[in-house]
Structures are given as C-alpha cells and as structure tokens.
Amino acid sequence: MTRIAVLGTGANGGSIGADLTRAGLDVTFIEQWPEHVAAMREDGIRVEMPDADEVTAVRAFNLCDVATLRERFDVVLVLVKAYDTRWACELIKPLVADDGMVVGVQNGMTLETIADVMGADRALGAVIEVASNMFAPGLIHRDTPRSQSWFAVGGLTAEAQRKAVTAAGLLRHSGTVEISDDILSSKWMKLVANCTELVTSAVLDMTVHEAAEVPGMLDVMIEAGNEAVRTGLALGRRIRPVLGLTEADVADPEKVARALFDVVHDRYVIPGQQTTVLQDWIKGRRSEVHQINGHVVAEQTRLGGRAPVNERVVEAARRIEEHQIVAGPEVAELLLATAQ
C-alpha cells in the first residue's frame, strides 16, 4: 500500500489527511503543535463541515518524532506555511522513497523550493482552494466540504507530471482535482487571487466580504491582483483558468484579478469566513504576506519595476506584525493612499 505522510496537519492538512485516512489509505500525520498531536492521539481528529461532522482516528507524530521513523514514504503532502517549506522538506527528505514525491499543497510559489531540496523529478506543486480554520487542538472547522474544494497539481519535469496522476488520485478524496500542464502558471493565478483578498482584508481586521464593502477598497484589492497579473506575465507565466474559470473568463489580462475575485467570492467564500492571514494574526502568529503580496513586490524589484499597491499592503502588514499599528478599518487610509 502507498505510504503517505501529511506534514503540517493544521486546518487544511488535518482535514485532507482525515479524508485520506477515511478512504482506507495508509496515512501518517506529522505536526508541530504538541497539544494538537496529543488531542489527535487521544480522541482522533474532528472535522466539522456544513454537510457532515466526522471524527477520524489517525496516527499522529510530533516533529521531534521524525528522527525515530524508519519506513520511507511514497507520498508526502506538505501543508506547512510557505515560509516553513525549506526546513520542512529537509526534515522529511531522508524518509522519502527514491521514486517518491513531495507535494506542496500550499499557497505561495513554493514548488521551486521543494524541487531544490528534493530534486525536480520528486517535486510537485498544487493549487489549493479549501477554506478551514482551527483554534482548538483536534478540532477543525472546514467551511468548504469535499464537494466544494478544488485542487490542481503538476510538476516541472515529465517524470513529475507522471507522478501528478497519483497525487491527483489521492487529493480527489478531498475535492475536485485537475492536472495542470503548467503548474507554475496555475499557482501564479492563485497567487493573484491571494494578493487580491488575503492580506488586503486582514489589515482591516475584516472578512473579504466586509473589506470589499469599504468605500474604495474593492478597487485597491483588484489593483493588487492586477499588479500580480502584470508581474506574472513579465516573468513568462501564462494566464490559466483555475478554480473553475473558463478560458473566456481570463481572456483579458486586466480583468483576470476581478474574475478570480468573483469566483472565489461567489463559490468558495462564505460570509463571516476569516482568511488564513487574519487567523494567523488572531493566533499571534506571523502571516505569509512576504510569500504573497511581498513575492510580487520582490519579483517586480528584480525586474526593475514596482508594484505600489502591493508595497503598501506589505508595509501595512509589517507594521501590524511589529505592533506599530493595530489591524482595523482605519488602515484602509494607508492602502487608499496608493490610489491618489
């Protein structure tokens, strides 16, 4: 039987791992929150969804237990934060089968980092659209049930693309899956959506729905996405229809960010749903802003250009994380200044 490890079993990783376990697969959970591991060992993992409430017995290990494991994994699904990708891959590398694969089921452009550690033939990237949260150990609230969750997977080489078929088969236990023939471009399209919504709403201490209702903010959010589209094109990325969009939906580059905003807003986000960035701040954790809006800023700098809206978003997030300002509606003034 295929041996699977889920490295990072928080809200998304835990719910996906539970789906695979319930499908009868050999799944090992590896997690960095000790209380969460203890809760899962004691009572299993509980996933509450709009259409089901499931408790699943799982095999869970702490990060410090990895050095004690001996059997190698055929598939590792990485669901740690984007900024933790490199060390997480180095941690698990000795336990990956020679012909195995490591799949970054994450936000952010992490595939090339995974390939750098694991080798391109064993590295896969994934686009993920699953909305969930976890504030108590052992308990996940998943807002998008399996019927509404969406993934795309792919690799950088022909061998990795062959392995993508296996990865897609596994992830189909947790949602709809497509195999992308240009995963870097597909992931960039998700980066566009994330630039539009995640940090821009969190700095206001609001949900995406609420932030979009603040006068002027929707224009700021869409322009952050537009800057990401332009940056991707300058880097040679292609505009790809993801998240259920069609080719016609993304025919005009200047309308892609709005199309992505609308599809996420209408199909995948429910009122009151907190973005992953807002969840991080509520927990007192740093966010992935530098792997999202900050990535666009860094790439534009490397290209000799600028992404002024994303620069302002990153600066606002930095000041919030360094406790210079507090996330709230008044932060909108800092972002709206870019439109003046």
Side-chain angles (χ1 to χ4, degrees), residues 173-210:
H173 292 294
S174 203
T176 300
V177 186
E178 297 179 10
I179 296 178
S180 173
D181 61 0
D182 183 356
I183 190 62
L184 289 178
S185 291
S186 294
K187 283 186 69 64
W188 194 275
M189 290 300 98
K190 181 60 189 301
L191 183 74
V192 171
N194 288 343
C195 283
T196 303
E197 300 179 353
L198 298 188
V199 188
T200 53
S201 58
V203 295
L204 307 186
D205 192 26
M206 293 179 177
T207 67
V208 174
H209 287 84
E210 293 167 341

Side-chain angles (χ1 to χ4, degrees), residues 3-4 21 25-30 41 57-61 73:
R3 297 193 72 245
I4 304 161
T21 301
L25 301 175
D26 183 343
V27 183
T28 297
F29 282 40
I30 300 173
R41 287 175 171 175
V58 298
R59 184 169 58 252
F61 293 89
F73 298 106

Side-chain angles (χ1 to χ4, degrees), residues 171-328:
L171 289 172
R172 285 194 180 102
H173 292 294
S174 203
T176 300
V177 186
E178 297 179 10
I179 296 178
S180 173
D181 61 0
D182 183 356
I183 190 62
L184 289 178
S185 291
S186 294
K187 283 186 69 64
W188 194 275
M189 290 300 98
K190 181 60 189 301
L191 183 74
V192 171
N194 288 343
C195 283
T196 303
E197 300 179 353
L198 298 188
V199 188
T200 53
S201 58
V203 295
L204 307 186
D205 192 26
M206 293 179 177
T207 67
V208 174
H209 287 84
E210 293 167 341
E213 295 297 320
V214 174
M217 272 302 300
L218 181 58
D219 289 341
V220 169
M221 297 166 80
I222 298 302
E223 183 56 21
N226 285 338
E227 289 180 355
V229 171
R230 297 177 200 126
T231 303
L233 291 173
L235 292 170
R237 305 289 176 243
R238 294 187 294 159
I239 296 175
R240 307 301 307 277
V242 296
L243 307 176
L245 292 175
T246 67
E247 292 284 356
D249 293 326
V250 296
D252 184 346
E254 289 299 310
K255 295 181 179 179
V256 169
R258 182 56 194 255
L260 286 167
F261 177 87
D262 288 343
V263 72
V264 172
H265 190 276
D266 294 342
R267 298 184 193 177
Y268 299 104
V269 177
I270 64 173
Q273 188 179 96
Q274 297 165 328
T275 70
T276 179
V277 173
L278 188 53
Q279 290 178 45
D280 285 337
W281 288 348
I282 291 171
K283 297 173 184 177
R285 299 183 56 172
R286 62 188 173 98
S287 72
E288 294 173 302
V289 61
H290 294 294
Q291 287 71 41
I292 302 174
N293 305 80
H295 187 70
V296 173
V297 172
E299 288 298 289
Q300 270 294 344
T301 299
R302 190 168 64 85
L303 291 166
R306 291 188 59 198
V309 174
N310 283 285
E311 289 173 10
R312 192 60 65 94
V313 172
V314 172
E315 174 62 11
R318 181 193 67 79
R319 293 176 65 185
I320 289 167
E321 293 191 353
E322 294 181 2
H323 304 293
Q324 297 176 10
I325 60 174
V326 177

